[in-house]
Amino acid sequence: DNDPIVGKLKLITDGDKEATEGGYVELGPGLQWVQIDLKKPAEIHAVVLWHYHASARVYHDVVVQVADDPDFIKNVRTLFNNDPDNSAGLGLGKDKEFWETYEGKLVEAKGVVARYVRCYSKGSTADDQNHYTEVEVYGTPAK
């Protein structure tokens, strides 16, 4: 969704992890995603994501993938998937759903090399909107 209901997409990588007014992005209902371009391939060690966490909620169909191209066609790898019925169409997930907290969700990447990171969600226990507060990618330049 290039036109968020609330906020600007640049908020997702601004370093602010607080779920306060003006500090998060609200995307429409249904499956939505945000994508991070690392500008060149990197050895990724972890991805940490924060959805809206000011009130108790669990986001559904959270999937974190990495790829070598921006269209997610070449060398797509799934790092996290809590979609148990494949309703997002990205494969059956075996990871557990989680309550959103101010600490964020740490997804281990184990040194996978990729240029692009994509984080999906499909509504929450609060409503069918998708909220992102921050996404951080930790890694080193690929050798």
Side-chain angles (χ1 to χ4, degrees), residues 43-47 66 79 106-113 137-138:
E43 188 175 317
I44 302 169
H45 302 290
V47 176
V66 296
L79 305 179
L106 172 69
V107 175
E108 292 185 31
K110 300 177 182 169
V112 66
V113 175
V137 180
Y138 294 89

Side-chain angles (χ1 to χ4, degrees), residues 36-54:
I36 310 296
D37 179 358
L38 302 174
K39 304 296 183 203
K40 57 186 172 182
E43 188 175 317
I44 302 169
H45 302 290
V47 176
V48 185
L49 59 141
W50 287 260
H51 292 103
Y52 185 79
H53 55 81

Side-chain angles (χ1 to χ4, degrees), residues 5 8 12 15 25 32-33 45 51-52 57 59 72-73 78-79 86 88 91 101 103 108 115 119 121 134 137:
I5 296 167
K8 303 276 185 212
I12 296 168
V25 174
Q32 296 282 354
W33 51 266
H45 302 290
H51 292 103
Y52 185 79
R57 60 184 70 192
Y59 282 83
F72 274 66
I73 296 170
T78 300
L79 305 179
N86 195 26
T101 72
E103 296 172 327
E108 292 185 31
R115 176 173 169 176
C119 302
S121 63
E134 190 74 17
V137 180

Side-chain angles (χ1 to χ4, degrees), residues 1 12 25 27-36 47-52 58-84 86-91 93 95-98 100 105 107 116-124 128-135:
D1 189 347
I12 296 168
V25 174
L27 304 173
L31 186 66
Q32 296 282 354
W33 51 266
V34 297
Q35 183 168 301
I36 310 296
V47 176
V48 185
L49 59 141
W50 287 260
H51 292 103
Y52 185 79
V58 174
Y59 282 83
H60 305 299
D61 298 356
V62 175
V63 179
V64 178
Q65 293 183 327
V66 296
D68 295 338
D69 67 297
D71 297 321
F72 274 66
I73 296 170
K74 293 171 50 179
N75 206 16
V76 178
R77 281 121 325 137
T78 300
L79 305 179
F80 182 90
N81 182 339
N82 72 3
D83 178 6
N86 195 26
S87 62
L90 300 167
D95 295 302
K96 301 215 182 298
E97 288 190 322
F98 55 93
E100 291 297 331
K105 176 64 177 171
V107 175
Y116 297 91
V117 178
R118 195 178 275 187
C119 302
Y120 295 86
S121 63
K122 191 175 177 187
S124 73
D128 61 357
Q129 306 297 326
N130 296 278
H131 306 93
Y132 286 87
T133 303
E134 190 74 17
V135 176

